[in-house]
Amino acid sequence: MEKWRIPSCIACNDRYGKLERDLIGRLGLTLDAKNPASAGLAEKALRAINPDAATSEGDATARDARAKKILGEMYKGEALKEKNVVPGLGERWDRPLEEQLGISIPEESLPAMTEKIVRGITFREDGAFIESGQKIQSFLVNDEDVKDVKEMLDRAGKVFKREPGLVVRRARSEGGDLYEITFWNQLRMYATVATPKAAPALCPRQRRALRRARLNAWLQQRAARQGRPKAIARRRARKRARRKLTVG
């Protein structure tokens, strides 16, 4: 299968790479090992925190440190009741509460991965970057709470796949794009990309009024700084402007 290739600066590539490795290491411990879409991820995540699987002393130390960090951020039994459980990653094996385990997911990790995918799809399909004026928002919600969104994606969504781990649906509109991103057929994120509305064109009279307002604001600031009355500052500014016109 063709690998998606998206340009990125070195700093962003390093940041996303670090977040992705940490996130997969955590999610691998929560995914269903029997689901074909996530087959092997649990074993990979466990191996990453097993010092016995290390290839060197330094590697063993790093794995041991990560294992301690992961264990320190896990919750069991009653402690899970106070936590927000990621939709799709709750209890799926009918275990009693006292046997259930959960792991903390950094708040910025899933939104960052969602943003990376949204930017990648935009470049791959549209040959364009998402500019600073456009806003990406991500949402982690239950599917039953966004039925209208899913209906829109069913009607007009285009599907992009990097199976078995990733399926993306995108629906386009004048106001922006809507995304549904499914990870390993178990976890879904939704995202929107808002397109800024163009400022309405001004008529000549409105442009002149805007220029006068800006000039008046500048004169007030100048007068306040220099301690001069506004009228004196305005007259001097006009004289300088006339002089420049005469010289020109």
Side-chain angles (χ1 to χ4, degrees), residues 44-62:
K44 183 178 179 180
L46 288 171
R47 190 167 57 251
I49 57 176
N50 181 7
D52 294 336
T55 57
S56 67
E57 184 176 343
D59 186 21
T61 301

Side-chain angles (χ1 to χ4, degrees), residues 1-4 117 121 124-125 158-170 180-182 185:
M1 181 182 294
E2 178 190 0
K3 186 175 181 180
W4 294 350
I117 292 167
I121 292 291
R124 182 176 183 268
E125 294 301 307
K158 184 176 179 181
V159 181
F160 309 93
K161 296 182 179 182
R162 278 287 300 162
E163 293 179 314
L166 182 65
V167 177
V168 181
R169 292 200 295 171
R170 178 174 77 158
E180 177 195 69
I181 304 171
T182 304
N185 198 29

Side-chain angles (χ1 to χ4, degrees), residues 142-154:
N142 291 304
D143 284 351
E144 54 267 25
D145 295 332
V146 287
K147 291 181 179 178
D148 52 341
V149 171
K150 295 185 75 66
E151 288 174 0
M152 179 179 176
L153 288 163
D154 290 340

Side-chain angles (χ1 to χ4, degrees), residues 34-209:
K34 295 182 179 179
N35 189 314
S38 56
L41 279 179
E43 291 82 356
K44 183 178 179 180
L46 288 171
R47 190 167 57 251
I49 57 176
N50 181 7
D52 294 336
T55 57
S56 67
E57 184 176 343
D59 186 21
T61 301
R63 290 172 190 252
D64 183 61
R66 178 160 178 79
K68 290 176 180 177
K69 178 178 175 62
I70 292 293
L71 288 172
E73 297 179 6
M74 295 188 78
Y75 306 95
K76 184 177 180 180
E78 291 291 332
L80 288 170
K81 286 186 175 181
E82 303 174 2
K83 305 300 177 183
N84 294 321
V85 178
V86 175
L89 297 183
E91 177 59 31
R92 287 149 286 165
W93 300 278
D94 298 324
R95 296 174 298 182
L97 180 61
E98 60 269 18
E99 294 181 10
Q100 295 178 25
L101 291 171
I103 185 170
S104 175
I105 303 294
E107 186 176 354
E108 71 278 6
S109 295
L110 284 170
M113 287 301 98
T114 299
E115 179 179 337
K116 173 185 176 181
I117 292 167
V118 167
R119 289 183 180 277
I121 292 291
T122 300
F123 181 83
R124 182 176 183 268
E125 294 301 307
D126 306 338
F129 294 103
I130 293 178
E131 303 295 342
S132 57
Q134 296 175 280
K135 186 175 182 180
I136 303 174
Q137 288 185 293
S138 59
F139 308 91
L140 189 59
V141 295
N142 291 304
D143 284 351
E144 54 267 25
D145 295 332
V146 287
K147 291 181 179 178
D148 52 341
V149 171
K150 295 185 75 66
E151 288 174 0
M152 179 179 176
L153 288 163
D154 290 340
R155 291 195 310 270
K158 184 176 179 181
V159 181
F160 309 93
K161 296 182 179 182
R162 278 287 300 162
E163 293 179 314
L166 182 65
V167 177
V168 181
R169 292 200 295 171
R170 178 174 77 158
R172 313 206 64 182
S173 68
E174 292 183 0
D177 296 345
L178 173 64
Y179 289 81
E180 177 195 69
I181 304 171
T182 304
F183 300 92
W184 301 293
N185 198 29
Q186 295 166 70
L187 161 66
R188 284 191 183 87
M189 291 287 293
Y190 294 88
T192 58
V193 180
T195 302
K197 294 182 179 179
L202 300 178
C203 67
R205 180 176 60 81
Q206 290 172 322
R207 288 197 294 270
R208 288 193 297 271

Side-chain angles (χ1 to χ4, degrees), residues 215 218-219 222 232-248:
L215 175 61
W218 178 81
L219 289 170
R222 179 184 172 89
I232 296 175
R234 184 185 294 114
R235 284 197 297 272
R236 291 184 176 179
R238 287 173 178 168
K239 285 181 181 179
R240 284 194 297 270
R242 284 196 295 271
R243 256 189 236 112
K244 288 180 181 179
L245 290 174
T246 303
V247 173

